Amino acid sequence: KFPLYLDQYIRKNDIVPGQGGIKDYSNGKAFDYNNASALISYTPIKYITFDAGYGQNFIGDGYRSLILSDIQFSYPYLKLTANLGKVQYTAMWAQFMDKHSKNFATAYDDLGYYKKWGVFHFLDWNVSKKISIGFFDAVIWPDADSSGRKRGFDWSYMNPIIFLRSAEFSEGSSDNALLGLNAKFKLFPKTTVYGQLVLDEFKLSEVTKGNGWWANKQAWQLGVKTYDLFNVKKRDL
Protein backbone atom coordinates (compact mmCIF):
# COMPACT_ATOMS: atom_id res chain seq x y z
CA LYS A 1 0.00 0.00 0.00
CA PHE A 2 1.21 3.49 -0.84
CA PRO A 3 0.38 7.12 0.07
CA LEU A 4 -2.41 8.62 -2.03
CA TYR A 5 -0.16 10.63 -4.38
CA LEU A 6 1.82 7.48 -5.23
CA ASP A 7 -1.29 5.31 -5.40
CA GLN A 8 -2.78 7.63 -8.04
CA TYR A 9 0.44 7.62 -10.08
CA ILE A 10 0.71 3.81 -9.92
CA ARG A 11 -2.90 3.24 -11.04
CA LYS A 12 -2.46 5.67 -13.94
CA ASN A 13 0.88 4.29 -15.19
CA ASP A 14 0.68 0.61 -14.11
CA ILE A 15 4.14 0.84 -12.56
CA VAL A 16 5.72 1.52 -9.18
CA PRO A 17 8.29 4.36 -9.50
CA GLY A 18 11.77 2.88 -9.57
CA GLN A 19 10.35 -0.64 -9.49
CA GLY A 20 8.59 -2.99 -11.90
CA GLY A 21 5.13 -3.37 -13.39
CA ILE A 22 2.27 -4.02 -10.99
CA LYS A 23 -0.15 -6.84 -10.27
CA ASP A 24 -3.43 -6.32 -8.49
CA TYR A 25 -3.44 -7.54 -4.91
CA SER A 26 -6.13 -7.79 -2.27
CA ASN A 27 -8.96 -6.91 -4.70
CA GLY A 28 -7.44 -3.60 -5.76
CA LYS A 29 -6.59 -2.39 -2.28
CA ALA A 30 -2.85 -2.95 -2.71
CA PHE A 31 -0.22 -3.77 -5.33
CA ASP A 32 2.31 -6.48 -5.96
CA TYR A 33 5.32 -5.57 -8.09
CA ASN A 34 8.59 -7.11 -9.26
CA ASN A 35 12.21 -6.10 -9.15
CA ALA A 36 15.52 -7.91 -9.42
CA SER A 37 19.14 -6.91 -8.98
CA ALA A 38 22.49 -8.65 -9.28
CA LEU A 39 26.16 -7.69 -9.44
CA ILE A 40 29.47 -9.34 -10.28
CA SER A 41 32.52 -7.19 -9.54
CA TYR A 42 36.15 -7.93 -10.43
CA THR A 43 39.24 -5.90 -9.52
CA PRO A 44 42.26 -7.28 -11.42
CA ILE A 45 44.51 -4.52 -10.02
CA LYS A 46 43.82 -1.94 -7.33
CA TYR A 47 43.31 0.86 -9.88
CA ILE A 48 40.65 -0.80 -12.06
CA THR A 49 37.27 -2.42 -11.31
CA PHE A 50 34.88 -4.15 -13.71
CA ASP A 51 31.18 -4.44 -12.80
CA ALA A 52 28.56 -6.50 -14.63
CA GLY A 53 25.14 -6.06 -13.13
CA TYR A 54 21.40 -5.68 -13.31
CA GLY A 55 20.31 -2.74 -11.21
CA GLN A 56 20.63 1.04 -10.96
CA ASN A 57 23.46 3.57 -11.00
CA PHE A 58 23.97 7.15 -9.85
CA ILE A 59 26.38 9.70 -11.32
CA GLY A 60 26.68 13.19 -9.87
CA ASP A 61 25.57 14.92 -6.68
CA GLY A 62 22.19 15.67 -5.16
CA TYR A 63 19.10 13.79 -4.06
CA ARG A 64 18.45 13.35 -7.77
CA SER A 65 21.03 13.74 -10.52
CA LEU A 66 20.45 15.29 -13.94
CA ILE A 67 23.33 13.20 -15.30
CA LEU A 68 22.21 9.70 -14.26
CA SER A 69 19.85 9.11 -11.36
CA ASP A 70 18.67 5.93 -9.64
CA ILE A 71 14.91 6.51 -9.89
CA GLN A 72 14.41 4.29 -12.93
CA PHE A 73 13.74 0.56 -13.17
CA SER A 74 16.67 -1.89 -12.98
CA TYR A 75 18.64 -2.47 -16.19
CA PRO A 76 21.61 -4.57 -17.36
CA TYR A 77 24.95 -2.77 -17.53
CA LEU A 78 28.71 -3.22 -17.84
CA LYS A 79 30.87 -0.67 -16.03
CA LEU A 80 34.58 0.10 -15.92
CA THR A 81 35.94 2.27 -13.10
CA ALA A 82 39.55 3.48 -12.93
CA ASN A 83 40.99 5.28 -9.90
CA LEU A 84 44.16 7.21 -10.66
CA GLY A 85 45.10 9.39 -7.70
CA LYS A 86 42.82 12.42 -7.67
CA VAL A 87 40.96 11.28 -10.80
CA GLN A 88 38.22 8.67 -11.08
CA TYR A 89 37.08 7.66 -14.55
CA THR A 90 33.91 5.68 -15.28
CA ALA A 91 32.74 4.17 -18.56
CA MET A 92 29.40 2.34 -18.65
CA TRP A 93 27.30 0.59 -21.29
CA ALA A 94 23.66 -0.15 -20.49
CA GLN A 95 20.31 -1.15 -21.97
CA PHE A 96 17.00 0.40 -20.91
CA MET A 97 13.40 -0.58 -21.63
CA ASP A 98 10.07 1.19 -22.07
CA LYS A 99 7.59 -0.73 -19.93
CA HIS A 100 4.65 0.80 -21.83
CA SER A 101 5.81 0.16 -25.37
CA LYS A 102 3.95 -3.10 -26.00
CA ASN A 103 0.71 -1.16 -25.74
CA PHE A 104 1.62 0.99 -28.73
CA ALA A 105 4.27 -0.66 -30.94
CA THR A 106 2.46 -3.63 -32.48
CA ALA A 107 5.30 -4.28 -34.93
CA TYR A 108 7.67 -4.65 -32.01
CA ASP A 109 5.65 -7.12 -29.94
CA ASP A 110 7.70 -10.14 -30.97
CA LEU A 111 10.83 -8.50 -29.52
CA GLY A 112 9.31 -7.69 -26.13
CA TYR A 113 9.43 -4.23 -24.60
CA TYR A 114 10.92 -1.43 -26.70
CA LYS A 115 14.57 -0.97 -25.70
CA LYS A 116 17.32 1.59 -26.08
CA TRP A 117 21.05 1.54 -25.43
CA GLY A 118 23.25 4.03 -23.62
CA VAL A 119 26.98 4.62 -23.21
CA PHE A 120 28.22 6.96 -20.47
CA HIS A 121 31.62 8.48 -19.63
CA PHE A 122 32.30 10.41 -16.43
CA LEU A 123 35.65 11.92 -15.37
CA ASP A 124 35.65 13.07 -11.73
CA TRP A 125 38.63 15.18 -10.66
CA ASN A 126 39.33 16.09 -7.03
CA VAL A 127 41.02 19.42 -7.68
CA SER A 128 41.67 19.96 -3.97
CA LYS A 129 40.34 18.83 -0.61
CA LYS A 130 37.41 21.21 -1.09
CA ILE A 131 36.74 21.28 -4.85
CA SER A 132 35.65 18.47 -7.18
CA ILE A 133 34.75 18.80 -10.88
CA GLY A 134 33.22 16.11 -13.08
CA PHE A 135 32.90 15.98 -16.87
CA PHE A 136 30.21 13.81 -18.47
CA ASP A 137 29.13 12.70 -21.92
CA ALA A 138 26.68 10.10 -23.18
CA VAL A 139 24.91 8.79 -26.26
CA ILE A 140 21.49 7.10 -26.29
CA TRP A 141 20.29 5.15 -29.33
CA PRO A 142 17.29 2.90 -30.12
CA ASP A 143 17.55 -0.87 -30.27
CA ALA A 144 15.20 -0.84 -33.29
CA ASP A 145 13.45 1.72 -35.43
CA SER A 146 9.70 2.43 -35.46
CA SER A 147 9.11 -0.32 -38.02
CA GLY A 148 10.71 -2.93 -35.75
CA ARG A 149 13.94 -3.22 -37.75
CA LYS A 150 16.55 -4.21 -35.16
CA ARG A 151 19.80 -2.27 -34.85
CA GLY A 152 21.14 -3.66 -31.60
CA PHE A 153 24.31 -2.61 -29.84
CA ASP A 154 26.54 -0.23 -31.80
CA TRP A 155 30.11 -1.47 -31.36
CA SER A 156 31.56 1.85 -32.50
CA TYR A 157 30.72 3.13 -29.01
CA MET A 158 32.65 0.36 -27.22
CA ASN A 159 35.89 2.33 -26.95
CA PRO A 160 35.96 3.42 -23.27
CA ILE A 161 37.85 6.70 -23.83
CA ILE A 162 36.32 8.23 -26.96
CA PHE A 163 34.65 11.64 -27.02
CA LEU A 164 31.11 10.53 -27.73
CA ARG A 165 29.75 13.63 -29.49
CA SER A 166 32.42 13.28 -32.17
CA ALA A 167 31.75 9.54 -32.55
CA GLU A 168 28.01 10.11 -32.82
CA PHE A 169 28.52 12.80 -35.46
CA SER A 170 30.92 10.64 -37.50
CA GLU A 171 28.29 7.91 -37.59
CA GLY A 172 25.93 10.32 -39.35
CA SER A 173 23.30 9.06 -36.92
CA SER A 174 20.26 10.47 -35.20
CA ASP A 175 21.49 9.18 -31.84
CA ASN A 176 20.95 11.45 -28.86
CA ALA A 177 24.18 12.97 -27.48
CA LEU A 178 24.46 14.65 -24.08
CA LEU A 179 27.21 16.65 -22.36
CA GLY A 180 27.36 17.49 -18.68
CA LEU A 181 29.30 19.16 -15.89
CA ASN A 182 29.14 18.33 -12.17
CA ALA A 183 30.89 20.43 -9.51
CA LYS A 184 30.92 20.58 -5.73
CA PHE A 185 32.60 22.73 -3.11
CA LYS A 186 33.02 21.83 0.56
CA LEU A 187 31.93 25.01 2.30
CA PHE A 188 32.38 23.58 5.82
CA PRO A 189 33.52 20.14 7.05
CA LYS A 190 29.93 18.80 6.90
CA THR A 191 28.39 21.20 4.34
CA THR A 192 28.77 20.95 0.56
CA VAL A 193 27.47 23.16 -2.26
CA TYR A 194 26.97 21.35 -5.58
CA GLY A 195 25.69 22.03 -9.07
CA GLN A 196 25.12 20.39 -12.44
CA LEU A 197 24.72 21.55 -16.02
CA VAL A 198 23.52 19.21 -18.79
CA LEU A 199 23.30 20.02 -22.51
CA ASP A 200 21.20 17.86 -24.85
CA GLU A 201 22.04 18.17 -28.58
CA PHE A 202 23.72 21.50 -27.88
CA LYS A 203 24.36 23.71 -30.94
CA LEU A 204 26.00 27.04 -30.07
CA SER A 205 24.98 28.86 -33.26
CA GLU A 206 21.31 28.20 -32.50
CA VAL A 207 21.68 29.16 -28.82
CA THR A 208 23.14 32.56 -29.74
CA LYS A 209 20.22 33.21 -32.11
CA GLY A 210 17.88 32.98 -29.14
CA ASN A 211 14.91 31.76 -31.17
CA GLY A 212 14.19 28.65 -29.08
CA TRP A 213 15.40 26.03 -31.55
CA TRP A 214 13.57 22.79 -30.67
CA ALA A 215 16.66 20.53 -30.47
CA ASN A 216 18.58 22.60 -27.90
CA LYS A 217 17.70 21.48 -24.39
CA GLN A 218 19.53 22.53 -21.24
CA ALA A 219 19.08 21.66 -17.58
CA TRP A 220 20.80 22.78 -14.39
CA GLN A 221 20.48 22.43 -10.66
CA LEU A 222 22.11 23.98 -7.60
CA GLY A 223 21.95 22.50 -4.14
CA VAL A 224 23.35 22.35 -0.63
CA LYS A 225 23.68 19.26 1.54
CA THR A 226 24.69 19.33 5.18
CA TYR A 227 25.01 16.74 7.94
CA ASP A 228 24.41 16.89 11.71
CA LEU A 229 22.74 20.28 11.33
CA PHE A 230 23.13 22.52 14.43
CA ASN A 231 25.29 19.73 15.91
CA VAL A 232 22.29 17.41 16.15
CA LYS A 233 23.43 13.93 15.17
CA LYS A 234 21.73 12.50 12.05
CA ARG A 235 19.81 15.75 11.37
CA ASP A 236 20.64 15.99 7.66
CA LEU A 237 19.37 18.47 5.08
Side-chain angles (χ1 to χ4, degrees), residues 46-80:
K46 66 178 183 179
Y47 305 106
I48 298 177
T49 299
F50 295 95
D51 293 324
Y54 187 84
Q56 300 162 327
N57 291 272
F58 192 98
I59 297 177
D61 289 280
Y63 179 70
R64 296 285 179 228
S65 173
L66 296 176
I67 293 175
L68 181 64
S69 197
D70 57 357
I71 195 173
Q72 72 274 50
F73 183 63
S74 297
Y75 51 88
Y77 64 90
L78 175 65
K79 182 166 64 173
L80 165 66

Side-chain angles (χ1 to χ4, degrees), residues 44-193:
I45 59 176
K46 66 178 183 179
Y47 305 106
I48 298 177
T49 299
F50 295 95
D51 293 324
Y54 187 84
Q56 300 162 327
N57 291 272
F58 192 98
I59 297 177
D61 289 280
Y63 179 70
R64 296 285 179 228
S65 173
L66 296 176
I67 293 175
L68 181 64
S69 197
D70 57 357
I71 195 173
Q72 72 274 50
F73 183 63
S74 297
Y75 51 88
Y77 64 90
L78 175 65
K79 182 166 64 173
L80 165 66
T81 305
N83 291 284
L84 304 170
K86 295 183 177 181
V87 175
Q88 183 182 78
Y89 181 74
T90 301
M92 188 178 76
W93 302 264
Q95 185 189 66
F96 309 97
M97 71 177 78
D98 181 357
K99 300 283 287 184
H100 290 219
S101 57
K102 292 191 74 172
N103 297 331
F104 308 107
T106 305
Y108 206 70
D109 279 350
D110 59 336
L111 299 177
Y113 291 116
Y114 185 85
K115 298 176 179 67
K116 61 183 179 181
W117 296 89
V119 54
F120 305 85
H121 295 157
F122 185 65
L123 179 67
D124 196 21
W125 176 30
N126 288 322
V127 181
S128 68
K129 291 183 178 180
K130 289 191 173 185
I131 301 174
S132 176
I133 301 175
F135 304 94
F136 164 81
D137 66 351
V139 169
I140 307 292
W141 71 94
D143 186 60
D145 60 24
S146 58
S147 66
R149 183 174 56 190
K150 190 172 177 65
R151 174 183 174 186
F153 183 80
D154 190 331
W155 290 95
S156 64
Y157 294 132
M158 196 61 196
N159 189 327
I161 57 175
I162 58 174
F163 189 62
L164 291 174
R165 187 65 181 93
S166 300
E168 181 265 344
F169 181 78
S170 66
E171 288 284 295
S173 70
S174 58
D175 301 340
N176 189 35
L178 299 97
L179 296 173
L181 176 69
N182 184 83
K184 60 182 176 182
F185 175 72
K186 184 177 286 187
L187 195 62
F188 303 111
K190 294 185 178 181
T191 301
T192 299
V193 180

